[in-house]
Amino acid sequence: MFLVELFVQGLIQGSVYALIAVGLTLVYGLLRILHVAHAGLFTLGGYAGVLVTNATGSVAVALVFAALSVGAVGMAVYRFCYEPILRRPPYVALIASIGLFIAMEELFRIVFGPFGLTYDIVPLQGSVVIGGMYLRSAELVTMALAAVLIGGLGLLAGRTRIGLAWRATVSVPEMAESFGIDIVKVRYLNFFIGSALAGVAGVMVSVLNNLVEPTMGSVASYKALAIIVLGGLGNVRGTLVAALTLGVIEAYGTIYLAGFLDRDAIAFAVLIVILMVRPQGLFGRSA
Amino acid sequence: MTAVLEVTGVTVTFGGVTALDDVSFVVHPGELLGLIGPNGAGKTTMLKVVTGIVVPQAGTVRLANADLAGLPTHARMRRGLGLAQQLVRTFDNVSTIENVMLAAGRQRTASPWAALFQVNRSVERRIALELLERVGIADAAEQRPDHLPLGYRKRLQVARALALDPALLLLDEPLAGLNHVEAAALADVVRGIADDGRTVVLIEHNLGEVLRITDRLVVLDSGRKIGDGEPGAVIRDPVVHAAYIGEGEAA
Amino acid sequence: MIGAYEISLLTTIGIAVTFALSLNLVTGFCGQISLGHAAFLGTGAYVAAMSVVAGAPFAVGLIAGGLVAAAVGAVVGLASLRVRHDFLAITTMGVGFLFVGFTRQQDWLGGEMGIAGIPEAPFGKVGLMVVALGVAAATAAFSVYLKRTWMGFAFDAIAADEDTARTVAIDVSRYKLAAFALGTGIAGLAGGLYAFNIRFIAPDSFGFVESVTVLAMVVIGGIGSVLWVTVAAAALAVLPQWFQAVDDYKLLLYGVLLFTVMRLSPGGLAGLVARLVRGVRQ
Ligand SMILES: Nc1ncnc2c1ncn2[C@@H]1O[C@H](COP(=O)(O)OP(=O)(O)OP(=O)(O)O)[C@@H](O)[C@H]1O
Ligand SMILES: [Mg+2]
């Protein structure tokens, strides 16, 4: 029973990871940039969640607001930060992104204070019993949101014109351009969707913990970097599997590795072990 | 007389594409061998197999009678290969002459820890300058390669490969991107390298120059060897003619 | 005479310059990006601290710190042989997190609380300052020398294009290992000095922020430039001490600088100065 509970907790955490990591892997797939500042957008979502919920009393409004506003900020990040340096060697964008992320974290600290914000009334407080297991409503909503949003993304990518254009752009950019696909539009869409998902994840994490703090993005989102590597950089399905698997491994690891390794280091231990065996990631194609 | 290079039964597939299909040939000492064939025939892939950049699904490569299986690229180069790749790849953070010096200093770079105690570069500089003169780009010696025209960069690669003092020099389309006069001049240089007793494998689409300077031709088409012999005879072979010239007309 | 404040400032500068030059060796010379370099500062600091707490002489602690860090660095270097570019960036970042995550859980290393009460160096604060500045100067001299050797020359080739380096008979793997061992060993030395200077270390002294700080020093100075990395390291080490405002907003400053430099002058100060000089000459 205990093992099953751990498994479910792992899936919940894995859903959060998935929401964050999908945006990151999409950016990598499209631009070959390790978008570290994605973590800052996740934190921004957390702040949007707390502030809007406290102002309106509705976490649903907060979720929509966070998705739209963080999505818009994501597009701005692309326009003003990445677009001008796309032609430079890859480390340039990576280091710029790290700088941007650190600056964002500091801005949160300066604007909202170092100690973080909490909900006036914590939303989604109820709980349900499923198969003898207590699950908080917030946890169920997190999993449901992850399933619906990522499932919807899959439909969008697989069934719509813009989705096809998107996939074409990711796999063969030059070709896509010659077919008259507007690559720039696809990039904006990509940043909007990826950032919106991170924003939603930020809201849900702030609800789950009843806390949003400036450094909320650090660990979770570096972990997202590890996840997209495991998933084979740019591979969405691989990323999903890696996110859920890591959530579960961590859930067990926290119990069974506690004396040896910090929870947050498990992801990287797994990452390093796996990269040693498969340098292209779990689901990456070999070069 | 043993062969310098002996390729036996080499097969390479990329996903579904068969790039090389059971190809065998030998290169004799002192010979200038032309390796020709239409686009996508597998010529570059063959050089990559010889240099260890691509691992074949089947087949063996022997250099001076020693099996190269399992040896990494740098070790194969040390055993006497020199490679000028089809796609130009230069070290753009150092000057043109330093590109060549890096190869000329292969004894000095053999072990990192020994290299830490070696500072003198004058011998290598002299060798490199001679080679740049030989391929006709000594005027660009102190410039960064990324600012040079393609023809210069192509010749830089030839000089750099030569600087390894290889027993077998592998050249992948060195004449591409050169104008008529430059191409003829570099072809003469390649002929001269062979006349000095060095063994050369030359991949080239410029058939005029190939027929003028090579001693023998091996022809690939769609990964299979379809010709091997004296250049004039090979090029008149109807099979080669159909595959090679036919494609040329269609293109 | 210089006062206690200047002594501590100069010691800090010496340590920062050594640390930054050690990363410059790996990232600048050999082209291998590392986002977890603080782990090696930490390894050196822990080894040195544990050694002197156990009664070993300071010099032994310092050298042991450097050697152990180099050994760990060689292992990480082995990992770097398997992965490249983006993968390497994340792997080294992971090494940084592993270091913090591991030390936090080790009671014998003081756990989260770290190691306090590291004894004062017998040669005193001035002595420590002299050692720190001496190590920094030696590291700078070594860097300049290395750049002129055939090892440095081969690093150039690897940093530019490692596949092509192989075609000129360079054993890329062994050179990368050498770069990691040298760079992390020197970082370990800096770590020992850090432990003796602050006399208190904890896992969080060697986290991602420190790795980014040292990266900022290298990037702002100009990746690969010994002179300007030294200048940038010294400046970024003293600015927070001189200006309280800078101290409060240190990370904001680093973040903005990292971003701005990459956006406007990816060659850092070195690149900027080179461009200015070229401009003046014309
Ligand atoms: N890394 C690779 N992955 C997949 N397919 C490849 C790869 N390298 C080569 N190929 C394929 O193998 C075949 C042979 O390619 P190769 O480059 O050897 O031809 P080539 O004879 O050198 O042609 P060209 O004259 O155009 O240079 C081609 O169909 C090519 O598309
Ligand atoms: Mg070719």
Side-chain angles (χ1 to χ4, degrees):
Chain A
M1 193 65 240
F2 180 56
L3 289 183
V4 178
E5 255 170 66
L6 280 180
F7 185 77
V8 173
Q9 286 304 320
L11 286 186
I12 294 165
Q13 190 60 45
S15 310
V16 172
Y17 291 160
L19 281 173
I20 305 172
V22 163
L24 209 55
T25 214
L26 287 176
V27 172
Y28 189 87
L30 201 56
L31 300 177
R32 300 277 172 249
I33 288 177
L34 287 175
H35 175 31
V36 177
H38 192 62
L41 297 174
F42 161 73
T43 313
L44 184 65
Y47 279 104
V50 173
L51 293 172
V52 174
T53 306
N54 285 351
T56 65
S58 162
V59 73
V61 173
L63 278 168
V64 173
F65 179 83
L68 296 179
S69 61
V70 175
V73 174
M75 291 198 291
V77 167
Y78 165 69
R79 170 67 190 82
F80 295 106
C81 302
Y82 293 137
E83 201 181 60
I85 50 179
L86 280 182
R87 305 233 164 272
R88 301 254 170 86
Y91 77 88
V92 171
L94 172 64
I95 294 173
S97 190
I98 291 173
L100 186 65
F101 171 58
I102 301 262
M104 280 170 93
E105 272 197 343
E106 280 299 289
L107 275 181
F108 293 137
R109 187 175 67 90
I110 293 162
V111 175
F112 300 113
F115 301 114
L117 307 177
T118 55
Y119 285 91
D120 298 339
I121 303 161
V122 185
L124 304 170
Q125 272 291 58
S127 61
V128 283
V129 184
I130 299 176
M133 228 182 327
Y134 274 99
L135 280 178
R136 293 152 63 198
S137 307
E139 295 175 337
L140 280 178
V141 171
T142 304
M143 285 203 280
L145 273 175
V148 169
L149 291 176
I150 295 173
L153 182 67
L155 285 183
L156 178 79
R159 299 278 165 80
T160 63
R161 247 189 82 81
I162 184 81
L164 290 178
W166 190 2
R167 286 186 354 201
T169 313
V170 169
S171 39
V172 256
E174 312 80 25
M175 193 102 94
E177 199 144 29
S178 68
F179 281 136
I181 293 173
D182 184 349
I183 288 196
V184 174
K185 204 151 106 198
V186 169
R187 285 180 184 158
Y188 278 115
L189 177 78
N190 187 86
F191 268 85
F192 179 82
I193 292 180
S195 309
L197 292 181
V200 168
V203 177
M204 291 322 295
V205 168
S206 73
V207 170
L208 287 170
N209 301 339
N210 185 23
L211 178 70
V212 46
E213 36 178 9
T215 55
M216 174 171 120
S218 311
V219 169
S221 300
Y222 302 142
K223 239 182 249 175
L225 285 173
I227 289 167
I228 69 168
V229 171
L230 288 175
L233 288 170
N235 176 341
V236 175
R237 265 190 215 129
T239 300
L240 285 180
V241 176
L244 295 174
T245 310
L246 181 68
V248 172
I249 291 179
E250 279 187 355
Y252 291 115
T254 313
I255 305 297
Y256 299 109
L257 290 174
F260 179 68
L261 209 58
D262 202 63
R263 175 194 181 106
D264 295 329
I266 292 175
F268 289 101
V270 173
L271 172 77
I272 289 170
V273 168
I274 287 182
L275 280 186
M276 290 310 96
V277 186
R278 275 183 70 84
Q280 69 275 29
L282 266 188
F283 305 97
R285 279 160 302 197
S286 58
Chain B
M1 198 160 52
T2 74
V4 174
L5 182 75
E6 192 180 347
V7 173
T8 317
V10 164
T11 299
V12 173
T13 56
F14 295 110
V17 185
T18 302
L20 288 172
D21 186 3
D22 194 19
V23 176
S24 307
F25 67 95
V26 293
V27 185
H28 303 297
E31 178 176 47
L32 168 45
L33 175 77
L35 182 58
I36 64 168
N39 289 112
K43 307 178 295 293
T44 298
T45 305
M46 178 52 79
L47 288 202
K48 288 185 174 170
V49 169
V50 172
T51 50
I53 298 168
V54 164
V55 180
Q57 271 77 23
T60 57
V61 176
R62 301 174 74 86
L63 183 68
N65 246 334
D67 193 344
L68 297 183
L71 284 183
T73 300
H74 68 87
R76 294 180 188 216
M77 305 321 277
R78 268 184 206 287
R79 292 208 174 188
L81 293 180
L83 171 67
Q85 285 185 279
Q86 178 176 3
L87 293 176
V88 179
R89 308 258 303 251
T90 49
F91 304 119
D92 294 336
N93 55 350
V94 297
S95 67
T96 297
I97 193 169
E98 283 172 322
N99 266 264
V100 182
M101 287 160 62
L102 270 165
R106 75 190 187 295
Q107 311 288 1
R108 296 192 191 267
T109 55
S111 145
W113 298 110
L116 183 55
F117 298 98
Q118 313 235 18
V119 177
N120 196 327
R121 297 182 188 181
S122 54
V123 179
E124 288 75 17
R125 181 169 283 276
R126 213 188 55 238
I127 295 172
L129 190 60
E130 275 167 18
L131 291 172
L132 289 179
E133 273 161 5
R134 184 155 194 191
V135 300
I137 59 168
D139 56 323
E142 298 305 329
Q143 270 164 282
R144 297 269 153 143
D146 50 342
H147 298 313
L148 297 177
L150 182 64
Y152 271 67
R153 288 151 61 78
K154 277 273 174 189
R155 284 180 276 176
L156 163 57
Q157 294 207 127
V158 174
R160 192 173 65 192
L162 258 183
L164 288 169
D165 190 18
L168 174 62
L169 179 65
L170 307 168
L171 304 175
D172 196 346
E173 300 195 19
L175 307 185
L178 272 63
N179 68 32
H180 212 68
V181 181
E182 291 170 335
L186 189 60
D188 286 339
V189 171
V190 173
R191 182 64 250 177
I193 291 166
D195 290 339
D196 291 347
R198 205 182 293 277
T199 314
V200 182
V201 171
L202 170 72
I203 296 179
E204 192 44 65
H205 281 295
N206 184 335
L207 277 191
E209 296 297 346
V210 168
L211 289 173
R212 186 166 72 84
I213 64 171
T214 54
D215 299 320
R216 187 163 60 97
L217 288 184
V218 166
V219 191
L220 296 180
D221 181 35
S222 306
R224 272 190 299 273
K225 187 169 98 167
I226 58 165
D228 187 341
E230 190 273 319
V234 165
I235 216 72
R236 280 189 302 274
D237 180 347
V239 179
V240 172
H241 210 77
Y244 200 86
I245 312 298
E247 194 255 2
E249 275 165 7
Chain C
M1 271 312 291
I2 55 173
Y5 175 74
E6 284 80 10
I7 291 172
S8 126
L9 203 62
L10 285 170
T11 313
T12 307
I13 289 179
I15 294 168
V17 167
T18 308
F19 187 35
L21 287 176
S22 76
L23 178 63
N24 189 46
L25 217 151
V26 181
T27 301
F29 288 8
C30 196
Q32 306 302 302
I33 195 152
S34 171
L35 298 178
H37 207 54
F40 305 103
L41 186 78
T43 305
Y46 269 93
V47 171
M50 295 295 283
S51 310
V52 297
V53 166
F58 275 72
V60 171
L62 209 55
I63 290 167
L67 289 179
V68 174
V72 177
V75 173
V76 173
L78 273 177
S80 90
L81 302 183
R82 305 275 300 160
V83 296
R84 283 201 214 179
H85 308 303
D86 297 339
F87 284 81
L88 179 62
I90 297 180
T91 306
T92 52
M93 181 192 267
V95 169
F97 277 95
L98 269 182
F99 176 82
V100 174
F102 176 77
T103 45
R104 265 199 198 136
Q105 302 295 327
Q106 307 307 309
D107 291 336
W108 59 283
L109 293 175
E112 298 235 29
M113 307 307 296
I115 303 174
I118 298 166
E120 191 172 343
F123 33 79
K125 288 203 158 48
V126 177
L128 189 63
M129 175 194 78
V130 171
V131 173
L133 290 177
V135 169
T139 305
F142 176 69
S143 298
V144 171
Y145 167 76
L146 177 60
K147 194 80 196 164
R148 294 180 50 228
T149 65
W150 278 86
M151 185 192 240
F153 205 7
F155 283 167
D156 286 338
I158 294 166
D161 183 342
E162 61 180 78
D163 291 327
T164 305
R166 292 191 174 91
T167 71
V168 295
I170 290 171
D171 187 345
V172 171
S173 306
R174 283 179 69 200
Y175 276 89
K176 280 194 197 171
L177 274 186
F180 267 95
L182 284 174
T184 56
I186 296 171
L189 270 185
L193 292 168
Y194 175 93
F196 298 158
N197 186 37
I198 310 289
R199 295 173 59 203
F200 162 71
I201 55 174
D204 289 332
S205 320
F206 310 105
F208 186 66
V209 168
E210 281 63 35
S211 291
V212 169
T213 304
V214 69
L215 183 68
M217 291 168 174
V218 171
V219 164
I220 291 167
I223 296 171
S225 162
V226 177
L227 173 67
W228 289 103
V229 167
T230 303
V231 171
L236 288 183
V238 297
L239 284 180
Q241 310 233 0
W242 279 346
F243 304 106
Q244 187 58 42
V246 174
D247 195 27
D248 293 345
Y249 301 112
K250 189 164 70 179
L251 282 178
L252 184 64
L253 178 77
Y254 291 167
V256 170
L257 277 178
L258 273 180
F259 179 77
T260 320
V261 167
M262 283 298 111
R263 176 84 169 67
L264 301 178
S265 170
L269 287 173
L272 202 63
V273 170
R275 250 188 291 164
L276 285 179
V277 168
R278 234 177 293 136
V280 169
R281 282 212 191 121
Q282 274 165 15

